[in-house]
Amino acid sequence: MLISKILQTMKTKKIIYKVLLIALPLIWTGCSDLLDVEPDDRITKENFYKSESDFQAATGPLYNKVWFDFNDKFYYGLGDGRAANLYAPYSDYVYPFTDLTETGLTGPLVSAWGSLYNVVQQSNNVIIGINGSTVNESLKSKYIAEARFMRGIAYWYLASLWGDVIISTDPRELVKNPIVNKNPLKDVYEFAMRDLEYAAKYLPETAGQSGRLTRYSAFGMLSRVYLSYSGISDNPNSGSRNQEYLDLAKKAAEKVINSGPYSLMPNYADLFMIENNNNSESMFALQWVPNGDFGVNNTQQAYFALSSDITGDDAAWGYWTRASYNVLQEYESKDVRRKATWMGDDDFYPEISKSNGGYTVDHAKDFLTVKKGVVGSTKDNSKITRMNSALNTYMLRLGEVYLNYAEAALGNNASTADALALSGVNKLRVRAGLDPKTTLTYADIIHERRVELCMEGQYWYDLVRRSYYKQQEVVNYVTGQNRGTITPILYDSATNTVSVDATKSTSSRAIGVIDATIFVLPYPESELVQNPLLRENPVPYQFTEERIKDLFQ
Amino acid sequence: MTNFLITKSKSKYFKNLGCLILMFVFSAAVNAQTTVSGTVSDSNGPIPGVNIVVKGSNITTVSNFDGTYSISAPSAGTLVYSFIGYKAKEIAIANKTKIDVFLEEDLNNLKEVVVVGYGTMKRGDLTGAVSSVSSAAVTQSVATTIDQVLQGRAAGVNIQQNNGAPGSSSSVRIRGISSITGSNEPIYVIDGVVIDGTTGSMNANPLAGINPSDILSMDILKDASATAIYGSRAANGVIMITTKTGKKGELTLNFDSYVGWQEIPKQLQVLNLREYGTLKNARADLGIVERDNNFIRPDLLGNGTDWQKELFTTAMMQSYNLSASGGSDTTTYALGIGYLDQDGIAIGSSFNRFNLRGVIDSQVKSFLKLGVNMALNKTEQVTTFTDGSLILTALKQTPNVAARNADGTFDGPDTTEFVQNNPLGLALMRDNHNENYGIRANTYAEISFSKSLKFKSQYSLDYGFGNNYTFNPSYAFGALVNDIREGTRTKSLSQNWIWNNLLTYNKNFGVHTVNVMLGQEMQEQHGENLYGYRSGYITNGATDLNAGDPTTARNSNGSWTRALSSYFGRVFYSFNDKYLLTGTIRRDGSSQFAKENRWDWFPSAALAWKVSNENFLKDNKTINNLKLRLGWGIVGNQSVPDYAYTSVYGTSATNWGSGQIATNTANPDLGWEKTKSSNIGLDLGLFNNRIELIADVYYKKTDGLLLDLALPAYAGTTGQGATAPPTFNIGALENKGFEFTLNTLNMQRNDFTWKSNFVFSMNRSKVLALNTESGVYNMTLQQGSDVTVVTRTSVGQPIGQFYGYKVIGRFEKATDFYYKDKDGVVKPTALPEGMAIGENGVWIGDYMFEDVNKDGVINEKDTGYIGNPAPDFTFGIGNTFSFLGFDVNILLTGSYGNDVLNYQRRWLENPRENTNLLKSALGYAQLELIDPNGPNDYRNVQIVGGDPYMPRIGASSASSASNYRLSNRFVEDGSYVRVKNISIGYNLPKKLYSKYGISNIKVYSNAQNVLTFTKYKGYDPEIGSINQSVLLTGIDNGRYPSPIITTLGLNVNF
């Protein structure tokens, strides 16, 4: 009995020993593989940048996500708010710019700086990634050109707004040492121009996918950047511009007008319909994704829409985001662009609230809210969702290139009758329902720019460009906009007529000092804290590659 | 952890054996036999399984399940009653036939077993720093999750609830802060299953699924000599949790239930309708807002809506636990079922939990022991209130808005511009809740090759399945209309498993005792989630995604896997029970790092000297225990983002198909953050352990700090489309501190005992190095478009201090705009950059800030440290009184010297804001022209009223922003003393119920957060950390206050 129990015990023990003998090697081998973990939910660098479709996947987000924070509030808050097209006394993403009281802590300023540098660094990441790829060189240059275009534009914005900024071509170097000197305005401009010149050389003639860039997008953008650069000298009141760059601007614009695939849309208001995203006039637009996640959506409608009736949801915060008295005075009485840009009392929009037969604005005549960018609710177009209008954001369209050409053709003269300049500007005027011009002065061109591109985030940059060589004139102009006085108005939508409401008294508003400092924005405070060198003098940038010279041969 | 019991009973057995032999020598033989019977009980009722021995004989018995016993013994003999965890009691029979015995729990028992990594140790043998908290702490508090039990009860452990909402998380810091951007939460080892304490969110508590009443003991391993056996993940300490297992004997049943009431500790004083109207008129006078015709005569108005009253209610909670345990000589079992339901004091918050568990341990063969321990739980948490930040909405919503219409529907503001939503409507109508299911189980086999050599293989798993539901209904609250109904569903799955194999060898060779453990372990954590979204629902009724519009669908799915492979060993050596040595070493390989940096060593060593066992102290009447401990070790932290060592891309939508965007900057050199720590400890027992002191001094130095490099935005690291800043091993920091636990038995007389327990912890942290000499680490908070640096961490400073401007005064009169420097030259007072003297700039009644760098302007160069959230020290004082069947326990906890940033005062106290405000906002500086006919010039303006420390109403947004920039004005003293718990228990007299087969009935009442003494102006000085980040600690950004809870409970033993 006892013996059998012992035997049984031994048997069980033996089994256990056998199990252990089998298990232990398993443990050893199991351990070595266990630690090799491959992600299933994302791609690693080991298997990316292997083909053209990878390049396309890498450049795609450069058209939307990296610009999100810029587009969200700064695009119009700065571009139109600071130029006093927009009056939004309670929206802290607009009024600090209009009132000229922004600081290094102003939210949209901080996020726009970050966003523009996200464009720069993600473009750099793409350039570095493609450069390291084994795909053939011509294909590589095509997509590097796309990334350099984006980086060039970002630097144009940075230069226009902050002047001296840090030029970076590799984020990994900043990771190693983030405390670097900034580079001077002129070098930043040159850096932007070189990027765009590269893009003009290597981007394709036509876009493979609707909405992607062509080399003419780069020429169009160059016409703007050359124009800006032509005014830069040591004397901000020199009164004249560099003819060499005026000529380059003219040539670049001419290239677009004469050889490019772009043409004007017949009807101005159609430019701002979702179904016309990437239309024949659109040369570069941010490509927002219908029903896309936060980050690839266009939020602007939510900040502009007059009320929930339009958006169908609570994201309609535009009641107090209004046309300034100053901009309303700019419109000619027959100009159809007013109704496409601003909603006034009694204006009717068939594309909004379609189920009710369209939307008629109905409030007192004392204000106008934003129309451009306001497209309706999801019931009007299924692409629209809460805080996502699905409308592309124009960064460059043919209309502007006409005006760039005219401004370059005008050059340092008082007026011009250049045929191409007149034909371009008159096409815009006729489309707007206005009479053509026979000669063009700077006043004509800048009026046309302000109205044509109103609420497309442009006018402030026009003023900055002018300030490079006629600074005092622009200071006087901004002073004359009378931003500190809020005039009660009455607006007749049918005739585009604005008048002062004598029954109400004007009120005043605290604004900042208007002098030469308004043309340079403060650096975000957190950047100054982290890099005290930003307060030091800029250091010239060392260009290493040869500048492209054969673009116009 | 089942060998726990065996070790325990063995040691007892040897002790008793020793006693027996001694008694045999000295006692006289007695012949007259009698039968003695009675009941053995403790403060909780009868105790089964108590060993009863006739002193000096081998006559022995064990008490029954109802605590009764019967033994035949010499009528002149003595009975010895002993049981694990209780003080042995000797009672002379003296011809009695009935002896009822009351056993006292032995809290100072050095033979008590402490759970250490992969094993247990006698407390007396410990060489490291370990604090233990018994299950008594659970019954003395209203703890819904286990982290709350530890608060104020363990030295060196600082616990703050991040949020008072039911089921929310805590920030647990063991001996300070050892990582800046990595996790600082300890790991929890529950019956061998490792659970990470990190959630990174305010609401979800990873420990929420565990029922505190299932817990037998918690042992907190604090210094590296104790934690190094957990190697790469132990830098923040290890909390060992042992759940209750079965006890040999007849079936015993325990039923415990309580109901409780919860209340908000206080309301903040906000403006009523009259005050709001008056202030609005004042703002209209300044042209800040349009005049509101409803406020022509504010004095005629009522109080308006009290939004705090609308949102906070008295909330109920209830808890039920039923457990059973028992067992034969070879097999023991324990089963339990529990339910907790807690409503939040704020509408739209609640938590409930269902638990089920079972443990079986069986000695199936003389050499083979098997066991399984399974625990299931389901929790459900409603987070509508916290996720919607409704506390701020409630404070900001103005009193002129009604909560409800006459018909009971929700009302709202009559315009949509610059108004707050109806927080009550949102809390009640919006759905945001989650359900989580968890299974935690382990099974083991233990083979005894011989008495001293054992092999144990244990497989543990922890699976979790989570469901999150949100639905945003359509509503019309006044002018605020939402037509878009949105729903989301998120499913998450986590699968963690650990398999370890341990070989242990225990042997005594005369005066040498050797304990060797060798082990191998593999573990893998895998997680997945699946998210879906739709809008376009037709009604607010059916809210599943299928009821939404398919064309609006969005979805996403992700997963992650982390694995760890380890080898480890421990040697314990004791010489003559005087000199003790413990050495451990662990080698870990982690999947979180590149192949070359994957493996590392984590060693430790500790020495202890039991001075009291030396001859010169052996017979000392005063000192009965004195032990000195010395320990050193290295532990790691591997909480880095997944795949940080290589470049990864994230999918981002484009209209041309899926886009890929770089989401990180790779750092292939990434490795462990390593903390070296040294510890000197002293254990002292005086007067037969009536006074027990455990004191420790430590120094910890962390090298290779895991740091998400704080890079400027021009490196492309902030906002949408940014790359995450890379994680680097850069920098170093140190923690040093002192902590002690003092347990005293103050009085013990007949039926009255009074015991005290005092824990004290003090820690200082300092950054020794960062990525650069001048490197700083800033943390920002965003509110609307205001982005502000709130804390800064820099070399030579403590971690996460508040950072901002210093208010040095107020411009009271014209001469304040100028001052004389030391040479007598009149200079203008520094003004904020870009601002000049003027009503729209800097004016009488504005703050004067310290111009730190004396450059004449106030800008970011003038910011500095304005407060430290780390306390000088924290403490807990517990007092337990037992008398006449009553048990009373009072626990006080406190914190001294910590600052709190009352962040919302930046808006709630700014009289220019459009929202409702704190009453203190009315104290703004009131201005008047000195000469009413004179010009509106700063030389002709004076302050005529208001709080002397408040600025004026800013005439421009710039002056308002300047006055309400982050400054020391918003930093408050966060010291507090809190009566954390009062518990009273009463054991009903047995004669009332013994005939029903009930062995004990206890009724009890607990009160939690009873009283708080503090100067802090917000709801609650216990703030915790935002997202468990040490860099956002002590910032009150609308924290849900911890409720006052009162419970009434019943505990019945069958």
Side-chain angles (χ1 to χ4, degrees), chain B residues 11-25:
Chain B
S11 64
K12 212 71 196 176
Y13 175 72
F14 287 125
K15 185 193 161 193
N16 292 336
L17 203 68
C19 284
L20 282 175
I21 294 163
L22 279 174
M23 295 311 134
F24 186 74
V25 175

Side-chain angles (χ1 to χ4, degrees), chain A residues 419-435:
Chain A
L420 195 55
L422 276 171
S423 97
V425 172
N426 284 335
K427 274 185 198 166
L428 300 179
R429 287 187 60 81
V430 169
R431 178 169 72 172
L434 302 173
D435 301 330

